[in-house]
Amino acid sequence: MKKKKSDKSSTVYKTGLSVNSCVIFILIFLLVFASARLAASRQTIHLFGIDLSSGSVNGILCSILIMIPIMMTSLDRKRGFILSLIMLAANAVTVIGNIYFRRSLDAIPGLAYIFLGVFMVFLLKKNLTQIARNEDELFKLAYRDSLTGLPNRRAFDETVRDIINQGRQKQFALAVIDLDNFKGINDTIGHECGDGLLCEVARRWSAILSPSDFLARQGGDEFILILKDDTSKQLLMQRIDEFANALGEVMTVKEHSIFASASFGIACYPQHADDSEKLFRYADMAMYHSKKSKTNKVTMFDISMAEPIENEFKYDRLIRDCLLNDTFELVFQPQFYVGTHQFRGFEALLRMKDDSGMYINPNNFIPYAEQSRLILEIDRWVLRNAMQTIRPYFDIIDSKFILSINISALHLQSDQLMQDISSAIMESGFPANYLEIEITETSVLSSVSRATELLKRIKMLGVSVALDDFGTGYASLSNLSELPLNLVKIDKSFMDKMLSDVKYRSFISGIISMGHILGFEVIAEGVEYEVQLDILRSLHCDYVQGFLWGKPINKESMDKLIKNIYFPDRRFRRY
């Protein structure tokens, strides 16, 4: 867009110069004529009380005639240069004629001035041309993608803002385009072929651009398309299909045959957004939906798409802020023996507040944390802070209790889990044999053998292992028998249905029996009613946790609970 503005101002400037060039040319003609007349006469001229010979005045006029071409070339590198040469040539002819016909050598210095002027004009023209080339190169670097030659994101931003601010279009469509499986192409046949593919895609799309369209490369394998024609949605989708179909034929890059496809996201001005930033964001959201879709590769933005993406941005920011400022919170839900109501320990649960101070359901933000891999930092924070919170209690009570901490599937699959657990134990001084980590059934299914080996190493530290959400995954009996577990947890969803559906009672009975056969203890979570407790007691379940015997509590409430359990008859010192 900047280029167009420069061209426009240059055009206006050159128009003004061409109008003035006639006046300048007439002035030059008069100066040349006067110079010739003075050279022909040998009279003395009186100027401001000073007697000057005609030769001196002629020298002054020649100097002026040399300065004018230099100025004209500076003002207009092309037309000014040509006009300067014409003027200097005319002046040279006059001087040479005067020397020849008058047989006088007095004008030779003037001729030398003219040749010096020609040299300076040519030198100036060369330097100005190089400066213009440098400006063009700087423009290309600033506004052009070096690989494909297309406009870049900066040029796109200025173009969209210019269209909106100047009201050139009543409506237009913006499409964000992302090539499918481009990373796989780079990884399998090399980045050089990937670059070649991008250039071929840019060439094909440029070939079908209409004069009113604008295509830019966002970066990586992402492109941006502006369709300015005021068309219906149907015609717009047909136009987008042309770009999608342009990738249909096989591409040959570096002797490799590549089949390429792309995902398109479209947002329209002003229907969806009336500013460039929001318009691009909405088109990007639509493209993201196309990426996830297995059938629809062209998606028009709908307001329903905004909420999950907005939540992703919001939760990502909140999580990062909590990690940076150490503002996550922990609550602890007690666990008890079914038969005796004896206290077993706590499960540490993470809590996070939004900007208004309201607690956010972990089921809402944990998936985003897993998607962004921030869950690894969260796991480390929970391990460290949960142990540091519980550790002081062990200094004042004789019989210690279990601390159970959830570990994400991503953390279990990483190479850092063993080190993170060991570091947290060493930093807090927490006794490893009272620590229990909880993993989900689905987290071990991708590689049972690898998970088994890792869990064995963790158990060598003295740490117990519990299988959370048991019964909701698809692990086979043989896989479960290989896992070095201490305990399995019956998922709350079974508890919720056991009173209304008899078959779920049978499921729970089977899970408890199978767990005991495999040598695992069993705990049921989500126990909220006495009748549920009675059924679990009859089925010989080992432990329970839930609102019936204990809601998740903060540090202050945990002090009171520990006092009531371990020091019912004397004052308890708080920490």
Side-chain angles (χ1 to χ4, degrees):
M1 224 40 237
K2 192 171 183 177
K3 180 71 172 174
K4 292 182 180 179
K5 290 179 182 178
S6 177
D7 290 345
K8 183 177 180 181
S9 61
S10 177
T11 302
V12 173
Y13 174 76
K14 290 177 181 178
T15 302
L17 184 61
S18 63
V19 172
N20 295 328
S21 62
C22 294
V23 178
I24 296 173
F25 187 80
I26 294 172
L27 178 62
I28 292 170
F29 177 78
L30 293 175
L31 287 171
V32 172
F33 179 76
S35 176
R37 293 288 295 173
L38 286 169
S41 69
R42 295 174 180 260
Q43 299 176 359
T44 300
I45 300 173
H46 299 280
L47 186 63
F48 302 113
I50 301 174
D51 293 334
L52 297 173
S53 67
S54 61
S56 299
V57 175
N58 188 45
I60 294 172
L61 293 177
C62 285
S63 299
I64 295 173
L65 289 171
I66 291 172
M67 293 302 298
I68 289 175
I70 293 174
M71 292 174 61
M72 292 178 61
T73 304
S74 300
L75 294 173
D76 190 335
R77 179 169 50 91
K78 295 181 179 179
R79 286 182 290 184
F81 172 72
I82 295 172
L83 191 60
S84 297
L85 290 182
I86 294 173
M87 187 198 73
L88 289 170
N91 199 17
V93 170
T94 302
V95 174
I96 292 172
N98 188 42
I99 293 173
Y100 179 78
F101 290 108
R102 297 290 179 181
R103 298 292 190 269
S104 172
L105 301 179
D106 293 342
I108 287 180
L111 185 62
Y113 266 114
I114 292 171
F115 285 126
L116 177 62
V118 172
F119 172 76
M120 293 180 68
V121 166
F122 269 100
L123 183 62
L124 182 61
K125 167 72 162 51
K126 180 181 178 181
N127 289 337
L128 291 176
T129 300
Q130 185 60 47
I131 290 172
R133 287 175 182 164
N134 292 341
E135 288 178 348
D136 289 340
E137 288 299 320
L138 289 174
F139 175 82
K140 290 179 181 178
L141 290 174
Y143 290 90
R144 290 279 169 180
D145 173 53
S146 59
L147 178 64
T148 62
L150 293 175
N152 59 13
R153 175 62 189 269
R154 182 177 180 181
F156 160 78
D157 288 339
E158 292 196 10
T159 299
V160 175
R161 283 197 297 266
D162 186 56
I163 294 172
I164 293 175
N165 294 338
Q166 296 187 15
R168 295 184 190 176
Q169 297 291 133
K170 292 183 179 179
Q171 63 181 41
F172 65 91
L174 188 153
V176 173
I177 314 168
D178 192 89
L179 299 182
D180 299 327
N181 195 34
F182 183 73
K183 184 179 183 302
I185 294 173
N186 271 340
D187 292 343
T188 54
I189 60 178
H191 289 270
E192 188 175 353
C193 288
D195 290 345
L197 174 62
L198 292 173
C199 292
E200 176 62 18
V201 168
R203 186 193 66 79
R204 291 192 181 189
W205 282 343
S206 297
I208 61 175
L209 280 177
S210 71
S212 61
D213 296 339
F214 181 88
L215 178 67
R217 183 186 175 209
Q218 157 83 353
D221 61 336
E222 193 168 286
F223 296 81
I224 317 167
L225 175 65
I226 300 175
L227 300 174
K228 301 179 186 177
D229 291 334
D230 296 334
T231 58
S232 65
K233 180 179 178 180
Q234 181 180 359
L235 293 176
L236 172 62
M237 299 304 282
Q238 289 176 1
R239 189 81 178 94
I240 292 293
D241 285 341
E242 292 181 26
F243 287 87
N245 295 335
L247 304 179
E249 296 181 6
V250 64
M251 302 183 189
T252 302
V253 181
K254 303 289 184 182
E255 300 181 352
H256 292 278
S257 296
I258 303 174
F259 291 92
S261 63
S263 299
F264 295 75
I266 308 167
C268 296
Y269 171 90
Q271 296 96 315
H272 298 136
D274 57 1
D275 67 83
S276 59
E277 183 178 350
K278 189 177 292 184
L279 191 68
F280 175 81
R281 186 150 45 93
Y282 286 169
D284 197 51
M285 290 179 187
M287 186 275 293
Y288 180 74
H289 276 258
S290 294
K291 275 288 185 187
K292 294 195 299 182
S293 174
K294 295 182 179 180
T295 57
N296 186 21
K297 287 300 179 181
V298 179
T299 303
M300 180 74 75
F301 173 77
D302 184 87
I303 195 63
S304 62
M305 301 176 185
E307 184 177 356
I309 304 298
E310 296 288 353
N311 284 340
E312 181 177 346
F313 292 143
K314 179 182 74 174
Y315 291 142
D316 184 82
R317 177 183 59 80
L318 288 172
I319 291 169
R320 292 182 187 276
D321 286 346
C322 286
L323 288 170
L324 180 64
N325 301 316
D326 198 26
T327 52
F328 277 120
E329 296 180 16
L330 287 175
V331 293
F332 298 84
Q333 185 166 31
Q335 301 171 338
F336 299 92
Y337 289 85
V338 173
T340 62
H341 199 174
Q342 183 181 352
F343 177 63
R344 177 183 186 261
F346 291 108
E347 179 185 1
L349 302 173
L350 184 69
R351 294 293 183 263
M352 183 178 75
K353 292 180 179 179
D354 61 19
D355 293 328
S356 63
M358 301 295 292
Y359 285 105
I360 304 172
N361 190 323
N363 292 331
N364 291 337
F365 71 83
I366 289 297
Y368 292 105
E370 293 174 339
Q371 184 177 335
S372 63
R373 299 184 66 87
L374 290 172
I375 192 67
L376 298 177
E377 290 298 321
I378 291 175
D379 278 0
R380 296 184 185 106
W381 187 93
V382 173
L383 280 168
R384 183 173 61 254
N385 284 274
M387 292 187 202
Q388 289 174 354
T389 301
I390 298 298
R391 174 67 181 83
Y393 291 118
F394 290 176
D395 293 333
I396 58 172
I397 60 177
D398 297 328
S399 57
K400 298 175 177 58
F401 52 82
I402 296 295
L403 172 63
S404 186
I405 300 176
N406 292 277
I407 297 296
S408 65
L410 192 63
H411 208 168
L412 184 66
Q413 296 163 7
S414 75
D415 297 327
Q416 296 296 316
L417 179 57
M418 185 72 178
Q419 178 62 40
D420 290 339
I421 293 174
S422 299
S423 297
I425 290 174
M426 291 181 63
E427 289 177 14
S428 63
F430 193 91
N433 56 319
Y434 289 98
L435 175 65
E436 178 180 83
I437 65 165
E438 293 187 17
I439 61 173
T440 61
E441 187 176 346
T442 53
S443 67
V444 300
L445 294 182
S446 59
S447 178
V448 176
S449 59
R450 183 182 182 282
T452 300
E453 188 62 32
L454 176 60
L455 294 177
K456 286 181 179 178
R457 291 169 57 200
I458 291 174
K459 289 195 70 174
M460 290 178 63
L461 296 174
V463 178
S464 301
V465 180
L467 189 66
D468 197 9
D469 300 336
F470 184 65
T472 61
Y474 301 95
S476 66
L477 186 61
S478 60
N479 287 338
L480 290 175
S481 63
E482 294 177 11
L483 293 174
L485 303 175
N486 299 94
L487 177 129
V488 293
K489 298 186 74 173
I490 303 175
D491 188 65
K492 182 179 182 299
S493 61
F494 290 96
M495 294 295 108
D496 294 338
K497 298 174 182 177
M498 70 181 297
L499 299 180
S500 59
D501 195 333
V502 177
K503 68 180 179 182
Y504 280 95
R505 233 179 266 185
S506 301
F507 288 157
I508 294 171
S509 176
I511 291 172
I512 294 172
S513 298
M514 184 171 61
H516 289 162
I517 290 172
L518 293 174
F520 310 145
E521 292 183 302
V522 181
I523 183 171
E525 59 181 356
V527 179
E528 300 178 356
Y529 304 102
E530 286 286 351
V531 64
Q532 291 175 321
L533 182 63
D534 292 338
I535 293 172
L536 291 171
R537 188 180 288 116
S538 67
L539 297 175
H540 305 292
C541 184
D542 300 295
Y543 312 106
V544 295
Q545 72 179 72
F547 283 12
L548 178 63
W549 279 357
K551 296 180 179 181
I553 55 178
N554 58 20
K555 177 69 167 58
E556 184 177 351
S557 298
M558 188 162 56
D559 285 347
K560 296 178 181 179
L561 179 63
I562 296 296
K563 173 187 178 300
N564 292 333
I565 293 174
Y566 294 99
F567 308 97
D569 299 325
R570 62 188 176 93
R571 189 173 182 177
F572 175 64
R573 178 162 53 94
R574 292 182 58 190
Y575 287 84

